[in-house]
Amino acid sequence: SVRAWDLDFRLLDRGRFEADVLQFGTDEAQLARARFNRHLQQKGDPPLGMRTVVIPADGSQDFLWRGQRVTSRSLMVFPEQAELESLSGPDFDVYTLSLRSELVEVVAESLEIPLLDALMRGKETVELPYQTMRELRQSAHEICIRVRGEPGWLSLPGFQTRL
Protein backbone atom coordinates (compact mmCIF):
# COMPACT_ATOMS: atom_id res chain seq x y z
CA SER A 1 0.00 0.00 0.00
CA VAL A 2 3.04 2.31 -0.01
CA ARG A 3 3.36 4.32 -3.21
CA ALA A 4 6.61 5.03 -5.11
CA TRP A 5 8.70 2.78 -2.84
CA ASP A 6 9.77 -0.75 -3.79
CA LEU A 7 9.83 -2.54 -0.42
CA ASP A 8 10.47 -6.03 0.89
CA PHE A 9 10.07 -6.53 4.64
CA ARG A 10 10.82 -9.77 6.51
CA LEU A 11 9.69 -10.48 10.06
CA LEU A 12 12.61 -11.49 12.27
CA ASP A 13 10.59 -12.55 15.30
CA ARG A 14 7.25 -14.13 16.13
CA GLY A 15 4.06 -12.47 17.12
CA ARG A 16 1.28 -10.40 15.69
CA PHE A 17 2.56 -7.81 13.22
CA GLU A 18 1.05 -4.34 13.47
CA ALA A 19 1.89 -1.40 11.24
CA ASP A 20 0.66 2.14 10.98
CA VAL A 21 1.64 3.92 7.76
CA LEU A 22 0.50 7.34 6.62
CA GLN A 23 1.78 8.56 3.25
CA PHE A 24 0.79 11.65 1.28
CA GLY A 25 2.18 14.36 -0.92
CA THR A 26 2.49 15.79 -4.39
CA ASP A 27 4.65 15.07 -7.44
CA GLU A 28 7.32 17.30 -5.87
CA ALA A 29 7.27 16.18 -2.23
CA GLN A 30 6.11 13.17 -0.22
CA LEU A 31 5.90 12.76 3.55
CA ALA A 32 5.24 9.49 5.35
CA ARG A 33 5.18 8.15 8.88
CA ALA A 34 5.78 4.46 9.47
CA ARG A 35 5.47 2.56 12.76
CA PHE A 36 6.08 -1.16 13.20
CA ASN A 37 5.83 -3.33 16.31
CA ARG A 38 8.12 -6.25 15.36
CA HIS A 39 11.77 -6.80 14.49
CA LEU A 40 12.09 -6.38 10.71
CA GLN A 41 14.63 -6.61 7.96
CA GLN A 42 13.71 -3.81 5.56
CA LYS A 43 15.01 -3.77 1.98
CA GLY A 44 14.04 -1.91 -1.14
CA ASP A 45 14.30 1.33 -3.05
CA PRO A 46 13.15 4.84 -2.16
CA PRO A 47 11.13 6.83 -4.72
CA LEU A 48 12.93 7.24 -8.05
CA GLY A 49 14.02 10.77 -8.97
CA MET A 50 13.66 11.95 -5.38
CA ARG A 51 16.03 12.58 -2.51
CA THR A 52 14.83 10.99 0.70
CA VAL A 53 15.67 11.74 4.32
CA VAL A 54 14.59 9.73 7.35
CA ILE A 55 13.74 11.42 10.66
CA PRO A 56 13.34 9.24 13.77
CA ALA A 57 9.90 10.02 15.20
CA ASP A 58 10.85 9.79 18.87
CA GLY A 59 13.76 9.96 21.22
CA SER A 60 14.22 6.21 21.74
CA GLN A 61 15.18 5.04 18.26
CA ASP A 62 18.17 2.75 17.87
CA PHE A 63 18.50 0.60 14.74
CA LEU A 64 20.80 -0.34 11.87
CA TRP A 65 20.41 1.64 8.65
CA ARG A 66 22.58 0.84 5.62
CA GLY A 67 25.12 -0.85 7.90
CA GLN A 68 25.32 2.02 10.40
CA ARG A 69 23.93 2.18 13.91
CA VAL A 70 21.68 5.21 14.15
CA THR A 71 20.12 6.93 17.11
CA SER A 72 17.21 9.26 17.75
CA ARG A 73 19.45 12.22 16.78
CA SER A 74 20.52 10.76 13.41
CA LEU A 75 19.14 12.32 10.25
CA MET A 76 19.54 9.69 7.53
CA VAL A 77 20.04 10.85 3.95
CA PHE A 78 19.69 8.34 1.12
CA PRO A 79 22.49 8.74 -1.40
CA GLU A 80 21.22 8.99 -4.98
CA GLN A 81 20.03 5.61 -6.27
CA ALA A 82 20.78 3.92 -2.93
CA GLU A 83 18.84 0.99 -1.57
CA LEU A 84 17.06 0.76 1.75
CA GLU A 85 18.65 -1.75 4.06
CA SER A 86 17.61 -1.63 7.69
CA LEU A 87 17.25 -3.84 10.75
CA SER A 88 14.64 -2.35 13.03
CA GLY A 89 13.25 -3.23 16.43
CA PRO A 90 9.68 -3.41 17.70
CA ASP A 91 9.63 0.31 18.52
CA PHE A 92 10.42 1.48 14.96
CA ASP A 93 8.82 4.86 14.25
CA VAL A 94 10.11 7.22 11.54
CA TYR A 95 9.13 9.98 9.16
CA THR A 96 10.41 9.91 5.59
CA LEU A 97 10.52 13.02 3.45
CA SER A 98 11.16 12.59 -0.26
CA LEU A 99 11.70 15.65 -2.44
CA ARG A 100 12.07 15.73 -6.21
CA SER A 101 15.83 15.98 -6.92
CA GLU A 102 15.37 19.13 -9.00
CA LEU A 103 13.51 20.80 -6.13
CA VAL A 104 16.38 20.04 -3.74
CA GLU A 105 18.78 21.71 -6.18
CA VAL A 106 16.53 24.78 -6.63
CA VAL A 107 16.19 25.20 -2.86
CA ALA A 108 19.96 24.84 -2.33
CA GLU A 109 20.61 27.43 -5.02
CA SER A 110 18.06 29.87 -3.60
CA LEU A 111 19.58 29.52 -0.11
CA GLU A 112 23.08 29.84 -1.62
CA ILE A 113 24.25 26.62 0.00
CA PRO A 114 26.08 23.65 -1.53
CA LEU A 115 24.11 20.82 -3.08
CA LEU A 116 23.06 17.98 -0.77
CA ASP A 117 25.86 15.60 -1.76
CA ALA A 118 28.47 18.31 -1.18
CA LEU A 119 26.97 19.05 2.24
CA MET A 120 27.00 15.35 3.18
CA ARG A 121 30.64 14.82 2.05
CA GLY A 122 30.10 11.11 1.45
CA LYS A 123 28.29 10.51 4.76
CA GLU A 124 24.81 9.04 4.93
CA THR A 125 23.88 10.24 8.43
CA VAL A 126 24.20 13.50 10.32
CA GLU A 127 23.92 13.80 14.09
CA LEU A 128 21.78 16.87 14.72
CA PRO A 129 21.52 18.90 17.90
CA TYR A 130 18.65 17.84 20.14
CA GLN A 131 16.65 21.04 19.52
CA THR A 132 17.00 20.83 15.73
CA MET A 133 15.83 17.21 15.69
CA ARG A 134 12.96 18.08 18.01
CA GLU A 135 11.83 20.85 15.63
CA LEU A 136 12.01 18.52 12.61
CA ARG A 137 9.96 15.89 14.45
CA GLN A 138 7.44 18.46 15.61
CA SER A 139 6.95 19.87 12.09
CA ALA A 140 6.51 16.41 10.56
CA HIS A 141 4.16 15.39 13.37
CA GLU A 142 2.00 18.52 13.00
CA ILE A 143 1.64 18.03 9.24
CA CYS A 144 0.71 14.34 9.69
CA ILE A 145 -1.87 15.14 12.39
CA ARG A 146 -3.37 17.86 10.21
CA VAL A 147 -3.63 15.56 7.16
CA ARG A 148 -5.15 12.70 9.21
CA GLY A 149 -7.74 15.05 10.72
CA GLU A 150 -8.43 17.12 7.59
CA PRO A 151 -7.59 15.20 4.37
CA GLY A 152 -8.93 18.14 2.33
CA TRP A 153 -5.96 20.18 3.59
CA LEU A 154 -3.86 18.40 0.93
CA SER A 155 -5.60 20.34 -1.82
CA LEU A 156 -5.26 23.80 -0.25
CA PRO A 157 -2.87 26.21 -2.02
CA GLY A 158 -0.45 26.52 0.93
CA PHE A 159 -0.05 22.77 1.48
CA GLN A 160 2.92 22.20 -0.83
CA THR A 161 4.77 25.21 0.60
CA ARG A 162 4.22 23.94 4.16
CA LEU A 163 5.33 20.44 3.18
Side-chain angles (χ1 to χ4, degrees):
S1 67
V2 176
R3 293 191 174 120
W5 289 75
D6 179 17
L7 299 172
D8 181 22
F9 288 4
R10 305 232 188 257
L11 276 170
L12 300 178
D13 61 0
R14 295 177 189 253
R16 181 183 166 143
F17 176 69
E18 294 178 15
D20 181 27
V21 177
L22 173 67
Q23 182 188 35
F24 55 90
T26 66
D27 290 340
E28 298 293 314
Q30 182 185 96
L31 181 64
R33 183 171 188 181
R35 294 185 270 194
F36 308 121
N37 74 327
R38 311 296 317 154
H39 288 275
L40 294 174
Q41 176 189 41
Q42 303 177 32
K43 290 189 172 204
D45 297 309
L48 258 152
M50 300 184 108
R51 296 305 303 265
T52 299
V53 297
V54 181
I55 305 163
D58 65 39
S60 64
Q61 295 293 303
D62 181 25
F63 58 95
L64 285 176
W65 183 77
R66 296 183 46 80
Q68 301 175 57
R69 177 139 323 266
V70 295
T71 69
S72 59
R73 290 195 19 218
S74 301
L75 180 72
M76 292 146 273
V77 180
F78 276 91
E80 281 192 280
Q81 301 176 358
E83 294 181 340
L84 166 64
E85 186 175 328
S86 176
L87 294 174
S88 59
D91 58 352
F92 186 76
D93 189 359
V94 298
Y95 298 100
T96 60
L97 176 63
S98 300
L99 301 171
R100 183 90 27 222
S101 297
E102 298 82 20
L103 178 61
V104 173
E105 292 172 13
V106 167
V107 169
E109 189 175 297
S110 72
L111 295 174
E112 298 180 356
I113 60 173
L115 295 177
L116 187 57
D117 291 329
L119 283 172
M120 294 302 295
R121 298 183 191 145
K123 295 188 217 170
E124 297 181 6
T125 63
V126 177
E127 294 298 308
L128 296 178
Y130 172 80
Q131 185 62 27
T132 303
M133 187 58 82
R134 194 178 91 122
E135 290 170 9
L136 280 173
R137 279 188 191 112
Q138 187 63 35
S139 291
H141 178 74
E142 287 172 6
I143 292 170
C144 287
I145 292 295
R146 183 87 183 255
V147 167
R148 255 194 220 271
E150 301 174 53
W153 190 63
L154 293 170
S155 60
L156 296 177
F159 167 73
Q160 186 164 336
T161 302
R162 177 73 173 134
L163 184 57

